[in-house]
Amino acid sequence: QAQLVESGGGSVQAGGSLRLSCAASENIIRFDDMGWYRQGPGKQRELIASITNTKITWYADSVKGRFTISRNSTTNSMYLQMNSLKPEDTTVYYCNAVLRLPGGSGVTYWGQGTQVTVSS
């Protein structure tokens, strides 16, 4: 059972930067897709950035041009560089990893979440 541990959250003023890290307990080469989600109070968890094991990336419009996702198999970690942060980016961020299985099914892993707070 793989484990994901996020770090790097915190408080920052609008316009500032933070770098989130997601450390995996095993080699991330195993994971076909990895991504960052965020979830505000009373809201659904939403995908904001994803990266495949071939480094193909996708971003939600709300973060495109400000956030950069990356993954490093040497450190077994995924990262989210967040620049030009806005107060509306304030919420809990979760990392996610998907291991696809033969037949089309898959196993999904989640981190515990890390709080990001952006003040105006």
Side-chain angles (χ1 to χ4, degrees), residues 55-114:
K55 306 288 181 75
I56 296 172
T57 59
W58 173 90
Y59 298 94
D61 288 343
S62 58
V63 305
K64 196 175 296 182
R66 300 188 298 123
F67 292 8
T68 302
I69 190 172
S70 61
R71 58 192 284 176
N72 188 326
S73 59
T74 301
T75 60
N76 285 330
S77 295
M78 177 178 63
Y79 305 97
L80 186 69
Q81 178 66 44
M82 305 187 295
N83 298 329
S84 302
L85 282 162
K86 305 175 181 180
E88 51 263 44
D89 294 319
T90 295
T91 191
V92 180
Y93 287 71
Y94 298 88
C95 69
N96 166 279
V98 176
L99 173 63
R100 302 200 184 281
L101 302 174
S105 63
V107 180
T108 300
Y109 302 97
W110 291 96
Q112 81 286 358
T114 186

Side-chain angles (χ1 to χ4, degrees), residues 42-62:
K43 296 184 179 181
Q44 283 191 328
R45 193 170 294 187
E46 62 168 344
L47 177 65
I48 59 168
S50 67
I51 184 167
T52 69
N53 56 8
T54 55
K55 306 288 181 75
I56 296 172
T57 59
W58 173 90
Y59 298 94
D61 288 343
S62 58

